Amino acid sequence: MSKQLQLRNVLVLGAGKVGSTVADMVAEYHRVPVTLADQLAGKPSSDPLVRRITLNVEDDTALAGELAAHTVVINALPFFLAARVATQAARLGVHYFDLTEDVAATHAIRQLSSDATSVLMPQSGLAPGVIGMLGGHLAGDFDELYDLRLRVGALTRNATNSLRYNFTWSIDGVINEYCNACDAIVNGQLVSVQPLEGHETFTLDAEAFEAFNTSGGLGTLCETLRGKVRNLDYKTIRYPGHRDAMNFLLHDLRLIERRDLLRQVLEHAVPHSREDVVIVFASASGLREGRFEQETRVGRVFGATLRGKERTAIELTTAAGVVGVLELLLQGKLPSAGFVGQEQARLEEFLSTRVGHYYQGLGASASSPAHKEAAEA
């Protein structure tokens, strides 16, 4: 699709759990210098490939200086800073990736792409991100696609409180996806549905779960598949009871109107946990050679060690999403400039990257021998 890119170095913005995992993963699998920047001073890195610096991205001069010195920037900052960083990256011709689930930020970034000389690829984590690749892949397996259902959950393995939930990633991200409208396709029409609605229950391997609408998980997939699928939706997986408790907070107590207060309540009352599991589930149905068929993919990911540090499942899957598409860009398997949606990356090529093993099992149908072997690995 494009010529291969020579990677000299990478700038990672945001030295939180996910950002530091991205930096470690780039260093581990690509062996290039990584600059890990954050507004708060941190401990100097002992890793010879990872340099830690202090940077305020709202200082345009300082941000531009760091961007100009790097080939690629991966933005792991809160969603409300995405458009600011992308604007500077596009102006300087630096390839830009981020992990945002925010729809408005992605629209703003897309508007920068008409004359961009570098890649602008937001929503490059897990959901949005890899789930979009999976959805695009399954859609291409049918002559006529009826239903495409995409489900992702980042769950604590030991949910003991009334919310049946511990934070395994950003509080701001969770609030954003629980409060904002969600894209879907219903009966062939692109629609906006409400978060926390569309409640459903199901079991996987005899374990009970629920799922409900949340915002941003589909990225640009609705636009891509509009006119090609009858029904498409994305829902977040949780343990039963979580949705009702959150609905009480957001709507009965009307904290959806006071998000700052909601954040304070959740931060004070709901602990973080590093004992997590990520579940990815996708189901597609439609016609193949005149026969009505269904295909499913299921993956579970647990934490592991990376570069001598214990990393959670959500840290590894999110980081692998963006590091994997960066590798596809380096290989010339993505467009070399302009806006790129996640579904433009081919799932099989992503799974063949150096970090694709974090998503083992998604490359085969849930009923196939290959999937069973991967699940047992």
Side-chain angles (χ1 to χ4, degrees):
M1 297 178 67
S2 64
K3 65 180 182 179
Q4 294 190 0
L5 170 69
Q6 184 64 41
L7 185 65
R8 294 184 291 107
N9 51 27
V10 174
L11 173 64
V12 178
L13 299 178
K17 299 298 184 182
V18 171
S20 61
T21 304
V22 170
D24 284 346
M25 197 171 283
V26 172
E28 177 69 17
Y29 291 100
H30 291 283
R31 317 301 298 181
V32 297
V34 180
T35 302
L36 179 59
D38 198 276
Q39 66 176 350
L40 300 177
K43 295 181 180 179
S45 174
S46 60
D47 192 321
L49 285 176
V50 180
R51 177 174 66 100
R52 178 73 185 263
I53 67 168
T54 303
L55 176 67
N56 178 8
V57 299
E58 295 185 275
D59 180 336
D60 289 338
T61 300
L63 175 61
E66 285 300 329
L67 285 171
H70 293 82
T71 309
V72 171
V73 59
I74 299 175
N75 179 10
L77 295 169
F79 66 90
F80 51 81
L81 293 170
R84 169 185 286 273
V85 177
T87 299
Q88 289 270 38
R91 182 178 66 83
L92 295 167
V94 178
H95 296 293
Y96 173 88
F97 299 85
D98 73 33
L99 310 171
T100 186
E101 79 291 336
D102 189 69
V103 175
T106 299
H107 286 329
I109 292 169
R110 191 164 197 169
Q111 292 177 351
L112 303 170
S113 66
S114 59
D115 57 354
T117 60
S118 59
V119 163
L120 300 174
M121 195 170 187
Q123 303 184 314
S124 297
L126 165 59
V130 175
I131 193 66
M133 295 182 216
L134 177 57
H137 174 81
L138 290 176
D141 281 350
F142 290 84
D143 301 321
E144 185 175 348
L145 184 62
Y146 292 171
D147 301 298
L148 181 57
R149 311 298 191 188
L150 304 175
R151 311 287 185 261
V152 174
L155 302 167
T156 178
R157 283 182 281 162
N158 303 294
T160 59
N161 56 25
S162 296
L163 273 180
R164 304 295 310 280
Y165 185 72
N166 293 141
F167 283 109
T168 61
W169 62 293
S170 164
I171 295 177
D172 291 318
V174 171
I175 292 173
N176 198 41
E177 69 175 19
Y178 280 20
C179 295
N180 293 343
C182 318
D183 291 334
I185 294 176
V186 178
N187 294 324
Q189 300 298 313
L190 180 61
V191 299
S192 179
V193 295
Q194 291 302 302
L196 302 186
E197 297 302 315
H199 183 261
E200 64 188 30
T201 59
F202 59 96
T203 60
L204 291 175
D205 296 328
E207 187 172 10
F209 298 98
E210 66 179 14
F212 48 85
N213 300 335
T214 55
S215 176
L218 288 176
T220 54
L221 193 61
C222 276
E223 181 179 343
T224 299
L225 294 183
R226 188 176 186 180
K228 301 176 183 178
V229 61
R230 293 184 185 178
N231 299 293
L232 165 62
D233 61 24
Y234 170 85
K235 297 181 182 181
T236 287
I237 299 171
R238 294 288 185 255
Y239 295 117
H242 174 80
R243 181 263 177 195
D244 286 346
M246 287 303 304
N247 192 60
F248 173 76
L249 290 174
L250 290 171
H251 297 291
D252 291 1
L253 296 185
R254 298 174 61 181
L255 292 182
I256 193 171
E257 301 169 10
R258 303 179 65 185
R259 296 192 192 185
D260 289 343
L261 178 57
L262 174 63
R263 191 188 197 286
Q264 292 177 35
V265 170
L266 294 176
E267 189 171 35
H268 177 72
V270 182
H272 289 261
S273 175
R274 297 189 61 77
E275 300 171 342
D276 71 335
V277 57
V278 166
I279 300 174
V280 181
F281 174 69
S283 173
S285 63
L287 294 180
R288 285 173 170 157
E289 299 180 349
R291 187 169 75 168
F292 182 44
E293 294 186 353
Q294 177 176 306
E295 184 174 349
T296 60
R297 304 289 171 97
V298 182
R300 291 179 186 249
V301 183
F302 296 92
T305 301
L306 173 66
R307 235 163 151 71
K309 304 172 187 175
E310 289 297 322
R311 297 296 186 182
T312 66
I314 190 60
E315 290 164 4
L316 292 172
T317 50
T318 303
V322 69
V323 176
V325 292
L326 170 59
E327 183 172 333
L328 295 182
L329 175 65
L330 299 177
Q331 294 173 351
K333 294 178 179 178
L334 291 177
S336 59
F339 183 90
V340 181
Q342 290 306 305
E343 59 275 14
Q344 290 177 253
R346 296 175 60 85
L347 179 68
E348 58 270 32
E349 292 178 345
F350 171 81
L351 295 176
S352 296
T353 64
R354 301 169 195 176
V355 298
H357 63 88
Y358 288 108
Y359 285 93
Q360 63 180 347
L362 291 188
S365 171
S367 61
S368 72
H371 179 274
K372 293 177 181 177
E373 291 174 4
E376 294 170 357

PDB file of all heavy atoms in Angstrom, residues 225-254:
ATOM      1  N   LEU A 225     -18.983   0.222   7.185  1.00  0.00           N
ATOM      2  CA  LEU A 225     -19.897  -0.872   6.862  1.00  0.00           C
ATOM      3  C   LEU A 225     -21.320  -0.402   6.575  1.00  0.00           C
ATOM      4  O   LEU A 225     -22.198  -1.229   6.345  1.00  0.00           O
ATOM      5  CB  LEU A 225     -19.912  -1.892   8.000  1.00  0.00           C
ATOM      6  CG  LEU A 225     -18.607  -2.649   8.233  1.00  0.00           C
ATOM      7  CD1 LEU A 225     -18.778  -3.679   9.342  1.00  0.00           C
ATOM      8  CD2 LEU A 225     -18.116  -3.329   6.949  1.00  0.00           C
ATOM      9  N   ARG A 226     -21.548   0.883   6.592  1.00  0.00           N
ATOM     10  CA  ARG A 226     -22.885   1.395   6.278  1.00  0.00           C
ATOM     11  C   ARG A 226     -23.289   0.949   4.874  1.00  0.00           C
ATOM     12  O   ARG A 226     -22.534   1.113   3.912  1.00  0.00           O
ATOM     13  CB  ARG A 226     -22.897   2.916   6.368  1.00  0.00           C
ATOM     14  CG  ARG A 226     -24.277   3.535   6.242  1.00  0.00           C
ATOM     15  CD  ARG A 226     -24.201   5.037   6.451  1.00  0.00           C
ATOM     16  NE  ARG A 226     -25.508   5.655   6.481  1.00  0.00           N
ATOM     17  CZ  ARG A 226     -25.724   6.956   6.651  1.00  0.00           C
ATOM     18  NH1 ARG A 226     -24.679   7.768   6.822  1.00  0.00           N
ATOM     19  NH2 ARG A 226     -26.948   7.434   6.674  1.00  0.00           N
ATOM     20  N   GLY A 227     -24.474   0.383   4.748  1.00  0.00           N
ATOM     21  CA  GLY A 227     -24.938  -0.143   3.468  1.00  0.00           C
ATOM     22  C   GLY A 227     -24.477  -1.561   3.191  1.00  0.00           C
ATOM     23  O   GLY A 227     -24.871  -2.158   2.186  1.00  0.00           O
ATOM     24  N   LYS A 228     -23.662  -2.126   4.104  1.00  0.00           N
ATOM     25  CA  LYS A 228     -23.124  -3.478   3.901  1.00  0.00           C
ATOM     26  C   LYS A 228     -23.548  -4.446   4.998  1.00  0.00           C
ATOM     27  O   LYS A 228     -23.254  -5.641   4.917  1.00  0.00           O
ATOM     28  CB  LYS A 228     -21.592  -3.423   3.842  1.00  0.00           C
ATOM     29  CG  LYS A 228     -21.060  -2.524   2.733  1.00  0.00           C
ATOM     30  CD  LYS A 228     -19.537  -2.433   2.791  1.00  0.00           C
ATOM     31  CE  LYS A 228     -19.007  -1.485   1.730  1.00  0.00           C
ATOM     32  NZ  LYS A 228     -17.528  -1.346   1.811  1.00  0.00           N
ATOM     33  N   VAL A 229     -24.219  -3.963   6.046  1.00  0.00           N
ATOM     34  CA  VAL A 229     -24.644  -4.798   7.157  1.00  0.00           C
ATOM     35  C   VAL A 229     -26.014  -4.322   7.629  1.00  0.00           C
ATOM     36  O   VAL A 229     -26.299  -3.121   7.608  1.00  0.00           O
ATOM     37  CB  VAL A 229     -23.613  -4.750   8.310  1.00  0.00           C
ATOM     38  CG1 VAL A 229     -23.458  -3.346   8.857  1.00  0.00           C
ATOM     39  CG2 VAL A 229     -23.996  -5.720   9.431  1.00  0.00           C
ATOM     40  N   ARG A 230     -26.852  -5.246   8.038  1.00  0.00           N
ATOM     41  CA  ARG A 230     -28.176  -4.864   8.530  1.00  0.00           C
ATOM     42  C   ARG A 230     -28.094  -4.303   9.950  1.00  0.00           C
ATOM     43  O   ARG A 230     -28.703  -3.287  10.260  1.00  0.00           O
ATOM     44  CB  ARG A 230     -29.109  -6.080   8.507  1.00  0.00           C
ATOM     45  CG  ARG A 230     -29.434  -6.580   7.107  1.00  0.00           C
ATOM     46  CD  ARG A 230     -30.447  -7.718   7.172  1.00  0.00           C
ATOM     47  NE  ARG A 230     -30.679  -8.302   5.855  1.00  0.00           N
ATOM     48  CZ  ARG A 230     -31.488  -9.330   5.634  1.00  0.00           C
ATOM     49  NH1 ARG A 230     -32.167  -9.867   6.656  1.00  0.00           N
ATOM     50  NH2 ARG A 230     -31.650  -9.823   4.420  1.00  0.00           N
ATOM     51  N   ASN A 231     -27.352  -5.000  10.806  1.00  0.00           N
ATOM     52  CA  ASN A 231     -27.261  -4.590  12.217  1.00  0.00           C
ATOM     53  C   ASN A 231     -25.819  -4.706  12.705  1.00  0.00           C
ATOM     54  O   ASN A 231     -25.179  -5.742  12.519  1.00  0.00           O
ATOM     55  CB  ASN A 231     -28.169  -5.463  13.087  1.00  0.00           C
ATOM     56  CG  ASN A 231     -29.630  -5.365  12.703  1.00  0.00           C
ATOM     57  OD1 ASN A 231     -30.255  -4.323  12.867  1.00  0.00           O
ATOM     58  ND2 ASN A 231     -30.167  -6.451  12.168  1.00  0.00           N
ATOM     59  N   LEU A 232     -25.349  -3.646  13.335  1.00  0.00           N
ATOM     60  CA  LEU A 232     -23.992  -3.608  13.878  1.00  0.00           C
ATOM     61  C   LEU A 232     -24.032  -2.867  15.201  1.00  0.00           C
ATOM     62  O   LEU A 232     -24.575  -1.758  15.284  1.00  0.00           O
ATOM     63  CB  LEU A 232     -23.045  -2.887  12.905  1.00  0.00           C
ATOM     64  CG  LEU A 232     -21.674  -2.437  13.441  1.00  0.00           C
ATOM     65  CD1 LEU A 232     -20.843  -3.627  13.886  1.00  0.00           C
ATOM     66  CD2 LEU A 232     -20.937  -1.624  12.379  1.00  0.00           C
ATOM     67  N   ASP A 233     -23.468  -3.472  16.245  1.00  0.00           N
ATOM     68  CA  ASP A 233     -23.385  -2.750  17.514  1.00  0.00           C
ATOM     69  C   ASP A 233     -22.153  -3.189  18.298  1.00  0.00           C
ATOM     70  O   ASP A 233     -21.550  -4.226  18.022  1.00  0.00           O
ATOM     71  CB  ASP A 233     -24.657  -2.906  18.360  1.00  0.00           C
ATOM     72  CG  ASP A 233     -24.966  -4.349  18.745  1.00  0.00           C
ATOM     73  OD1 ASP A 233     -24.042  -5.185  18.790  1.00  0.00           O
ATOM     74  OD2 ASP A 233     -26.139  -4.651  19.011  1.00  0.00           O
ATOM     75  N   TYR A 234     -21.793  -2.336  19.255  1.00  0.00           N
ATOM     76  CA  TYR A 234     -20.686  -2.606  20.167  1.00  0.00           C
ATOM     77  C   TYR A 234     -21.190  -2.456  21.589  1.00  0.00           C
ATOM     78  O   TYR A 234     -21.891  -1.488  21.911  1.00  0.00           O
ATOM     79  CB  TYR A 234     -19.531  -1.628  19.940  1.00  0.00           C
ATOM     80  CG  TYR A 234     -18.478  -1.715  21.023  1.00  0.00           C
ATOM     81  CD1 TYR A 234     -17.464  -2.657  20.942  1.00  0.00           C
ATOM     82  CD2 TYR A 234     -18.530  -0.888  22.143  1.00  0.00           C
ATOM     83  CE1 TYR A 234     -16.515  -2.764  21.955  1.00  0.00           C
ATOM     84  CE2 TYR A 234     -17.592  -0.986  23.153  1.00  0.00           C
ATOM     85  CZ  TYR A 234     -16.585  -1.925  23.053  1.00  0.00           C
ATOM     86  OH  TYR A 234     -15.663  -2.035  24.060  1.00  0.00           O
ATOM     87  N   LYS A 235     -20.828  -3.408  22.452  1.00  0.00           N
ATOM     88  CA  LYS A 235     -21.218  -3.336  23.858  1.00  0.00           C
ATOM     89  C   LYS A 235     -20.036  -3.726  24.740  1.00  0.00           C
ATOM     90  O   LYS A 235     -19.188  -4.524  24.347  1.00  0.00           O
ATOM     91  CB  LYS A 235     -22.420  -4.250  24.133  1.00  0.00           C
ATOM     92  CG  LYS A 235     -23.666  -3.840  23.358  1.00  0.00           C
ATOM     93  CD  LYS A 235     -24.854  -4.737  23.649  1.00  0.00           C
ATOM     94  CE  LYS A 235     -26.061  -4.311  22.811  1.00  0.00           C
ATOM     95  NZ  LYS A 235     -27.252  -5.149  23.082  1.00  0.00           N
ATOM     96  N   THR A 236     -20.027  -3.155  25.929  1.00  0.00           N
ATOM     97  CA  THR A 236     -19.004  -3.463  26.923  1.00  0.00           C
ATOM     98  C   THR A 236     -19.476  -4.610  27.804  1.00  0.00           C
ATOM     99  O   THR A 236     -20.629  -4.642  28.236  1.00  0.00           O
ATOM    100  CB  THR A 236     -18.715  -2.219  27.776  1.00  0.00           C
ATOM    101  OG1 THR A 236     -17.976  -1.282  26.994  1.00  0.00           O
ATOM    102  CG2 THR A 236     -17.899  -2.569  29.008  1.00  0.00           C
ATOM    103  N   ILE A 237     -18.578  -5.539  28.078  1.00  0.00           N
ATOM    104  CA  ILE A 237     -18.875  -6.699  28.919  1.00  0.00           C
ATOM    105  C   ILE A 237     -18.573  -6.371  30.378  1.00  0.00           C
ATOM    106  O   ILE A 237     -17.511  -5.825  30.699  1.00  0.00           O
ATOM    107  CB  ILE A 237     -18.034  -7.916  28.487  1.00  0.00           C
ATOM    108  CG1 ILE A 237     -18.345  -8.310  27.041  1.00  0.00           C
ATOM    109  CG2 ILE A 237     -18.271  -9.101  29.418  1.00  0.00           C
ATOM    110  CD1 ILE A 237     -17.395  -9.364  26.480  1.00  0.00           C
ATOM    111  N   ARG A 238     -19.501  -6.713  31.254  1.00  0.00           N
ATOM    112  CA  ARG A 238     -19.312  -6.559  32.692  1.00  0.00           C
ATOM    113  C   ARG A 238     -19.935  -7.768  33.399  1.00  0.00           C
ATOM    114  O   ARG A 238     -20.654  -8.565  32.788  1.00  0.00           O
ATOM    115  CB  ARG A 238     -19.969  -5.266  33.202  1.00  0.00           C
ATOM    116  CG  ARG A 238     -19.337  -3.992  32.674  1.00  0.00           C
ATOM    117  CD  ARG A 238     -17.977  -3.741  33.289  1.00  0.00           C
ATOM    118  NE  ARG A 238     -17.414  -2.459  32.883  1.00  0.00           N
ATOM    119  CZ  ARG A 238     -16.438  -2.321  32.005  1.00  0.00           C
ATOM    120  NH1 ARG A 238     -15.924  -3.393  31.409  1.00  0.00           N
ATOM    121  NH2 ARG A 238     -15.965  -1.118  31.710  1.00  0.00           N
ATOM    122  N   TYR A 239     -19.689  -7.881  34.704  1.00  0.00           N
ATOM    123  CA  TYR A 239     -20.365  -8.896  35.506  1.00  0.00           C
ATOM    124  C   TYR A 239     -21.795  -8.449  35.800  1.00  0.00           C
ATOM    125  O   TYR A 239     -22.066  -7.244  35.916  1.00  0.00           O
ATOM    126  CB  TYR A 239     -19.608  -9.126  36.815  1.00  0.00           C
ATOM    127  CG  TYR A 239     -18.230  -9.700  36.631  1.00  0.00           C
ATOM    128  CD1 TYR A 239     -17.108  -8.968  37.030  1.00  0.00           C
ATOM    129  CD2 TYR A 239     -18.036 -10.960  36.067  1.00  0.00           C
ATOM    130  CE1 TYR A 239     -15.827  -9.481  36.867  1.00  0.00           C
ATOM    131  CE2 TYR A 239     -16.758 -11.484  35.895  1.00  0.00           C
ATOM    132  CZ  TYR A 239     -15.659 -10.735  36.294  1.00  0.00           C
ATOM    133  OH  TYR A 239     -14.402 -11.243  36.124  1.00  0.00           O
ATOM    134  N   PRO A 240     -22.726  -9.391  35.915  1.00  0.00           N
ATOM    135  CA  PRO A 240     -24.137  -9.031  36.161  1.00  0.00           C
ATOM    136  C   PRO A 240     -24.305  -8.148  37.395  1.00  0.00           C
ATOM    137  O   PRO A 240     -23.712  -8.398  38.445  1.00  0.00           O
ATOM    138  CB  PRO A 240     -24.808 -10.397  36.355  1.00  0.00           C
ATOM    139  CG  PRO A 240     -23.962 -11.351  35.562  1.00  0.00           C
ATOM    140  CD  PRO A 240     -22.561 -10.855  35.733  1.00  0.00           C
ATOM    141  N   GLY A 241     -25.130  -7.118  37.243  1.00  0.00           N
ATOM    142  CA  GLY A 241     -25.405  -6.183  38.324  1.00  0.00           C
ATOM    143  C   GLY A 241     -24.702  -4.849  38.185  1.00  0.00           C
ATOM    144  O   GLY A 241     -25.135  -3.845  38.762  1.00  0.00           O
ATOM    145  N   HIS A 242     -23.627  -4.820  37.398  1.00  0.00           N
ATOM    146  CA  HIS A 242     -22.863  -3.575  37.261  1.00  0.00           C
ATOM    147  C   HIS A 242     -23.675  -2.499  36.561  1.00  0.00           C
ATOM    148  O   HIS A 242     -23.692  -1.339  36.995  1.00  0.00           O
ATOM    149  CB  HIS A 242     -21.573  -3.843  36.486  1.00  0.00           C
ATOM    150  CG  HIS A 242     -20.795  -2.606  36.177  1.00  0.00           C
ATOM    151  ND1 HIS A 242     -19.988  -2.000  37.111  1.00  0.00           N
ATOM    152  CD2 HIS A 242     -20.693  -1.845  35.051  1.00  0.00           C
ATOM    153  CE1 HIS A 242     -19.415  -0.929  36.577  1.00  0.00           C
ATOM    154  NE2 HIS A 242     -19.842  -0.813  35.329  1.00  0.00           N
ATOM    155  N   ARG A 243     -24.357  -2.864  35.510  1.00  0.00           N
ATOM    156  CA  ARG A 243     -25.101  -1.876  34.725  1.00  0.00           C
ATOM    157  C   ARG A 243     -26.176  -1.199  35.568  1.00  0.00           C
ATOM    158  O   ARG A 243     -26.338   0.027  35.515  1.00  0.00           O
ATOM    159  CB  ARG A 243     -25.707  -2.547  33.501  1.00  0.00           C
ATOM    160  CG  ARG A 243     -26.487  -1.595  32.585  1.00  0.00           C
ATOM    161  CD  ARG A 243     -27.956  -1.655  32.879  1.00  0.00           C
ATOM    162  NE  ARG A 243     -28.695  -0.699  32.061  1.00  0.00           N
ATOM    163  CZ  ARG A 243     -29.936  -0.338  32.305  1.00  0.00           C
ATOM    164  NH1 ARG A 243     -30.577  -0.832  33.354  1.00  0.00           N
ATOM    165  NH2 ARG A 243     -30.542   0.514  31.529  1.00  0.00           N
ATOM    166  N   ASP A 244     -26.911  -1.959  36.370  1.00  0.00           N
ATOM    167  CA  ASP A 244     -27.971  -1.371  37.195  1.00  0.00           C
ATOM    168  C   ASP A 244     -27.394  -0.400  38.224  1.00  0.00           C
ATOM    169  O   ASP A 244     -27.972   0.668  38.483  1.00  0.00           O
ATOM    170  CB  ASP A 244     -28.762  -2.466  37.900  1.00  0.00           C
ATOM    171  CG  ASP A 244     -29.681  -3.218  36.956  1.00  0.00           C
ATOM    172  OD1 ASP A 244     -29.902  -2.731  35.832  1.00  0.00           O
ATOM    173  OD2 ASP A 244     -30.170  -4.300  37.342  1.00  0.00           O
ATOM    174  N   ALA A 245     -26.254  -0.753  38.814  1.00  0.00           N
ATOM    175  CA  ALA A 245     -25.634   0.130  39.806  1.00  0.00           C
ATOM    176  C   ALA A 245     -25.169   1.432  39.154  1.00  0.00           C
ATOM    177  O   ALA A 245     -25.354   2.521  39.709  1.00  0.00           O
ATOM    178  CB  ALA A 245     -24.456  -0.580  40.474  1.00  0.00           C
ATOM    179  N   MET A 246     -24.570   1.341  37.960  1.00  0.00           N
ATOM    180  CA  MET A 246     -24.118   2.548  37.268  1.00  0.00           C
ATOM    181  C   MET A 246     -25.305   3.382  36.797  1.00  0.00           C
ATOM    182  O   MET A 246     -25.247   4.614  36.810  1.00  0.00           O
ATOM    183  CB  MET A 246     -23.222   2.181  36.085  1.00  0.00           C
ATOM    184  CG  MET A 246     -21.847   1.694  36.473  1.00  0.00           C
ATOM    185  SD  MET A 246     -20.905   2.868  37.499  1.00  0.00           S
ATOM    186  CE  MET A 246     -20.906   4.334  36.472  1.00  0.00           C
ATOM    187  N   ASN A 247     -26.371   2.729  36.387  1.00  0.00           N
ATOM    188  CA  ASN A 247     -27.564   3.462  35.966  1.00  0.00           C
ATOM    189  C   ASN A 247     -28.143   4.261  37.132  1.00  0.00           C
ATOM    190  O   ASN A 247     -28.608   5.394  36.957  1.00  0.00           O
ATOM    191  CB  ASN A 247     -28.607   2.490  35.427  1.00  0.00           C
ATOM    192  CG  ASN A 247     -29.736   3.197  34.699  1.00  0.00           C
ATOM    193  OD1 ASN A 247     -29.503   3.889  33.713  1.00  0.00           O
ATOM    194  ND2 ASN A 247     -30.950   3.025  35.192  1.00  0.00           N
ATOM    195  N   PHE A 248     -28.099   3.696  38.337  1.00  0.00           N
ATOM    196  CA  PHE A 248     -28.551   4.410  39.534  1.00  0.00           C
ATOM    197  C   PHE A 248     -27.708   5.666  39.769  1.00  0.00           C
ATOM    198  O   PHE A 248     -28.242   6.753  40.016  1.00  0.00           O
ATOM    199  CB  PHE A 248     -28.480   3.482  40.747  1.00  0.00           C
ATOM    200  CG  PHE A 248     -28.758   4.170  42.060  1.00  0.00           C
ATOM    201  CD1 PHE A 248     -30.049   4.513  42.418  1.00  0.00           C
ATOM    202  CD2 PHE A 248     -27.722   4.483  42.922  1.00  0.00           C
ATOM    203  CE1 PHE A 248     -30.308   5.160  43.626  1.00  0.00           C
ATOM    204  CE2 PHE A 248     -27.958   5.116  44.121  1.00  0.00           C
ATOM    205  CZ  PHE A 248     -29.257   5.462  44.479  1.00  0.00           C
ATOM    206  N   LEU A 249     -26.387   5.529  39.667  1.00  0.00           N
ATOM    207  CA  LEU A 249     -25.510   6.681  39.874  1.00  0.00           C
ATOM    208  C   LEU A 249     -25.708   7.750  38.806  1.00  0.00           C
ATOM    209  O   LEU A 249     -25.816   8.947  39.100  1.00  0.00           O
ATOM    210  CB  LEU A 249     -24.050   6.227  39.878  1.00  0.00           C
ATOM    211  CG  LEU A 249     -23.564   5.404  41.070  1.00  0.00           C
ATOM    212  CD1 LEU A 249     -22.135   4.920  40.826  1.00  0.00           C
ATOM    213  CD2 LEU A 249     -23.632   6.228  42.345  1.00  0.00           C
ATOM    214  N   LEU A 250     -25.755   7.321  37.560  1.00  0.00           N
ATOM    215  CA  LEU A 250     -25.784   8.277  36.453  1.00  0.00           C
ATOM    216  C   LEU A 250     -27.138   8.951  36.287  1.00  0.00           C
ATOM    217  O   LEU A 250     -27.204  10.156  36.011  1.00  0.00           O
ATOM    218  CB  LEU A 250     -25.388   7.584  35.148  1.00  0.00           C
ATOM    219  CG  LEU A 250     -23.929   7.178  35.025  1.00  0.00           C
ATOM    220  CD1 LEU A 250     -23.717   6.318  33.791  1.00  0.00           C
ATOM    221  CD2 LEU A 250     -23.035   8.405  34.961  1.00  0.00           C
ATOM    222  N   HIS A 251     -28.212   8.178  36.441  1.00  0.00           N
ATOM    223  CA  HIS A 251     -29.525   8.708  36.104  1.00  0.00           C
ATOM    224  C   HIS A 251     -30.421   8.960  37.324  1.00  0.00           C
ATOM    225  O   HIS A 251     -31.008  10.038  37.432  1.00  0.00           O
ATOM    226  CB  HIS A 251     -30.206   7.771  35.109  1.00  0.00           C
ATOM    227  CG  HIS A 251     -29.463   7.672  33.819  1.00  0.00           C
ATOM    228  ND1 HIS A 251     -29.379   8.712  32.919  1.00  0.00           N
ATOM    229  CD2 HIS A 251     -28.715   6.667  33.295  1.00  0.00           C
ATOM    230  CE1 HIS A 251     -28.630   8.354  31.891  1.00  0.00           C
ATOM    231  NE2 HIS A 251     -28.206   7.117  32.093  1.00  0.00           N
ATOM    232  N   ASP A 252     -30.489   8.017  38.235  1.00  0.00           N
ATOM    233  CA  ASP A 252     -31.316   8.266  39.421  1.00  0.00           C
ATOM    234  C   ASP A 252     -30.725   9.382  40.278  1.00  0.00           C
ATOM    235  O   ASP A 252     -31.455  10.241  40.787  1.00  0.00           O
ATOM    236  CB  ASP A 252     -31.463   6.992  40.244  1.00  0.00           C
ATOM    237  CG  ASP A 252     -32.306   5.948  39.546  1.00  0.00           C
ATOM    238  OD1 ASP A 252     -32.756   6.210  38.418  1.00  0.00           O
ATOM    239  OD2 ASP A 252     -32.523   4.863  40.109  1.00  0.00           O
ATOM    240  N   LEU A 253     -29.402   9.358  40.467  1.00  0.00           N
ATOM    241  CA  LEU A 253     -28.743  10.436  41.217  1.00  0.00           C
ATOM    242  C   LEU A 253     -28.313  11.594  40.320  1.00  0.00           C
ATOM    243  O   LEU A 253     -27.761  12.585  40.801  1.00  0.00           O
ATOM    244  CB  LEU A 253     -27.529   9.886  41.968  1.00  0.00           C
ATOM    245  CG  LEU A 253     -27.818   8.843  43.049  1.00  0.00           C
ATOM    246  CD1 LEU A 253     -26.535   8.484  43.786  1.00  0.00           C
ATOM    247  CD2 LEU A 253     -28.865   9.347  44.033  1.00  0.00           C
ATOM    248  N   ARG A 254     -28.495  11.452  39.010  1.00  0.00           N
ATOM    249  CA  ARG A 254     -28.236  12.497  38.013  1.00  0.00           C
ATOM    250  C   ARG A 254     -26.774  12.945  37.999  1.00  0.00           C
ATOM    251  O   ARG A 254     -26.459  14.079  37.670  1.00  0.00           O
ATOM    252  CB  ARG A 254     -29.170  13.691  38.245  1.00  0.00           C
ATOM    253  CG  ARG A 254     -30.633  13.319  38.089  1.00  0.00           C
ATOM    254  CD  ARG A 254     -31.564  14.454  38.444  1.00  0.00           C
ATOM    255  NE  ARG A 254     -31.350  15.616  37.572  1.00  0.00           N
ATOM    256  CZ  ARG A 254     -32.030  16.747  37.683  1.00  0.00           C
ATOM    257  NH1 ARG A 254     -32.965  16.857  38.629  1.00  0.00           N
ATOM    258  NH2 ARG A 254     -31.782  17.755  36.886  1.00  0.00           N
TER     259      ARG A 254
END
